[in-house]
Amino acid sequence: MYYIDPHIHMVSRTTDDYETLAKMGCVGVSEPAFWAGYDRGSAAGFRDYFEQLTAFEPKRAGWFGIQHYTWLCINAKEAENVVLARDVIAMIPQFLDRPGVLGIGEIGLNKNTRNEAIVFLEHIDLAMKTNEQILIHTPHLEDKYQGTRMILDMLTADSRIDRSRVLVDHVEEHTIRPVLEGGFWAGMTLYPVSKCTPQRAADMVEIYGPERLLVNSAGDWGPSKPTAVADFILEMRKRGHPEGLIRRVVYDNPLEFFGQSRNFAFAAPDV
Amino acid sequence: MTAKRTKQAVLEQEFLSLRAKILELAAGLDRLDRAAGQRPDDGRPDQLDRAMRLLLDAGPARAERIQLVFSRDYDETWRLQFSV
């Protein structure tokens, strides 16, 4: 089955991983800007990173027939530095019209601090001025519930936001319902230990239905499995779910959500 | 739209996996007991106790309720406190 991974950090994966993804049926990846594992020292560092995301990664993905899309921001972890964050936000518009740039992301909260909230709101403001879609990171572990509620408070207070163009990612059992009831898209991340499993993601599809739900691997520099979406496909098949339902979550839904971005041009595989 | 398995089918498919996970939990608790020193009082052992008691509760939504055991509280006045 062809699928699209809507959240994966290929900049931190080897080229072999692209080959493996292609063999698994992945035809598209969406890569939000994220924390590299250390705090970058300057806006120039982010400029180089955005260059890598918008120029090199699409080329590298293309060697294996995978279409690559990206999102730009300063992530929540580094957003604690408001001065740096403002320099980066000021630079982002220079990259927004590049092919494959889908919007602003992955913005969000990390430890749910005041500075993080300030920078989150300034990203939202940029997205509204440039008519971008938004991809949101919700915090890890014990911070997730509180942070997701805070994020939803900020989103719902802004009447400019079209909720159908916003993806709230890394939802789990205690955050998925308010996200969906709020009219946003919800992403389930299949990441070992700290996030969800293919089995629990399948449970949530069964409970809430497939509308506005995505699954992703968030494969990155940490212990992660970039092929996790294929694991979800298998789990759904083992439970007897029809191919049409599975394809909706892993292929049709990403196309529907990303199709709202002006820079999303997707060549569907010839079947 | 979604296929609905019977309870029998779920048990057939998942019994061994559930059994293995319960054993992992038990072994982890045994490790904690065998380790030296006093039981830490940083709140985490109590969280584990509360979470495990929820496993024996009647459903639904045990997973959701256990997630909340391990979550920081949300205060709806946060924007006032942050002046944001």
Side-chain angles (χ1 to χ4, degrees):
Chain A
M1 175 179 288
Y2 290 129
Y3 75 89
I4 293 167
D5 193 327
H7 187 141
I8 186 168
H9 300 291
M10 293 308 294
V11 73
S12 62
R13 308 299 305 197
T14 67
T15 301
D16 288 353
D17 280 338
Y18 273 120
E19 182 176 5
T20 300
L21 289 178
K23 289 174 179 173
M24 289 276 194
C26 182
V27 294
V29 295
S30 147
E31 177 164 4
F34 79 143
W35 185 55
Y38 65 96
D39 290 351
R40 297 173 183 92
S42 66
F46 279 88
R47 179 180 292 281
D48 287 343
Y49 175 43
F50 294 163
E51 189 67 37
Q52 188 176 14
L53 287 176
T54 59
F56 181 63
E57 284 308 315
K59 192 185 305 183
R60 196 161 71 116
W63 295 338
F64 302 95
I66 294 176
Q67 296 170 75
H68 180 281
Y69 307 93
T70 195
W71 305 72
L72 305 173
C73 76
I74 177 167
N75 61 86
K77 173 83 170 54
E78 288 168 290
E80 189 58 27
N81 182 337
V82 178
V83 171
L84 172 62
R86 286 177 173 154
D87 286 344
V88 174
I89 291 172
M91 182 178 59
I92 287 173
Q94 298 172 32
F95 292 85
L96 286 175
D97 289 329
R98 289 200 175 186
V101 175
L102 300 184
I104 303 300
E106 50 175 315
I107 59 173
L109 299 176
N110 180 43
K111 298 307 288 182
N112 308 334
T113 68
R114 182 174 183 270
N115 283 354
E116 291 169 12
I118 288 170
V119 171
F120 178 82
L121 287 168
E122 294 187 12
H123 275 106
I124 296 291
D125 198 53
L126 170 63
M128 293 303 101
K129 287 174 178 158
T130 54
N131 194 29
E132 307 301 327
Q133 285 201 259
I134 301 167
L135 193 160
I136 292 172
H137 163 98
T138 57
H140 304 295
L141 300 169
E142 70 271 13
D143 301 307
K144 181 175 293 295
Y145 177 70
Q146 183 191 71
T148 302
R149 294 291 302 272
M150 291 168 65
I151 285 165
L152 294 178
D153 287 345
M154 289 186 278
L155 292 173
T156 54
D158 192 331
S159 59
R160 299 173 296 173
I161 292 174
D162 177 350
R163 300 178 189 191
S164 68
R165 300 184 77 223
V166 177
L167 168 59
V168 181
D169 222 325
H170 315 320
V171 300
E172 293 183 43
E173 289 89 348
H174 54 331
T175 58
I176 184 171
R177 190 167 351 104
V179 170
L180 290 176
E181 286 178 351
F184 303 99
W185 284 75
M188 298 178 288
T189 298
L190 311 178
Y191 195 92
V193 181
S194 61
K195 293 189 179 67
C196 201
T197 63
Q199 290 74 26
R200 285 163 52 208
D203 291 338
M204 284 187 271
V205 173
E206 289 174 351
I207 294 168
Y208 295 99
E211 192 175 344
R212 284 183 283 120
L213 272 191
L214 302 173
V215 290
N216 65 76
S217 68
D220 64 9
W221 46 259
S224 49
K225 194 173 181 192
T227 55
V229 176
D231 291 342
F232 168 82
I233 292 170
L234 181 59
E235 176 65 22
M236 291 288 283
R237 284 179 173 153
K238 284 162 75 172
R239 295 188 186 195
H241 290 301
E243 293 292 282
L245 169 65
I246 304 170
R247 185 172 54 249
R248 177 164 179 194
V249 177
V250 304
Y251 184 79
D252 298 329
N253 278 0
L255 290 184
E256 181 182 342
F257 179 69
F258 297 146
Q260 301 177 92
S261 290
R262 64 182 177 279
N263 292 331
F264 184 70
F266 179 75
D270 186 16
V271 290
Chain B
M1 164 91 70
T2 56
K4 197 148 172 81
R5 294 182 290 175
T6 64
K7 288 181 171 54
Q8 184 68 34
V10 173
L11 200 58
E12 289 300 329
Q13 287 179 329
E14 309 218 12
F15 176 75
L16 285 179
S17 169
L18 290 170
R19 174 185 177 276
K21 287 169 186 170
I22 290 171
L23 280 169
E24 280 297 327
L25 266 178
L29 294 172
D30 286 344
R31 260 171 247 135
L32 208 47
D33 283 348
R34 284 200 314 275
Q38 297 298 310
R39 176 174 147 124
D41 61 0
D42 60 10
R44 288 178 298 170
D46 288 341
Q47 282 181 318
L48 291 175
D49 288 346
R50 285 166 51 208
M52 284 185 288
R53 282 196 200 97
L54 280 173
L55 289 174
L56 292 174
D57 259 16
R62 288 180 198 81
E64 181 180 347
R65 286 184 279 149
I66 288 173
Q67 288 272 22
L68 291 172
V69 168
F70 292 110
S71 298
R72 289 167 67 188
D73 291 332
Y74 162 72
D75 178 353
E76 62 185 20
T77 68
W78 71 271
R79 291 195 83 161
L80 276 172
Q81 294 173 39
F82 280 1
S83 303
V84 163

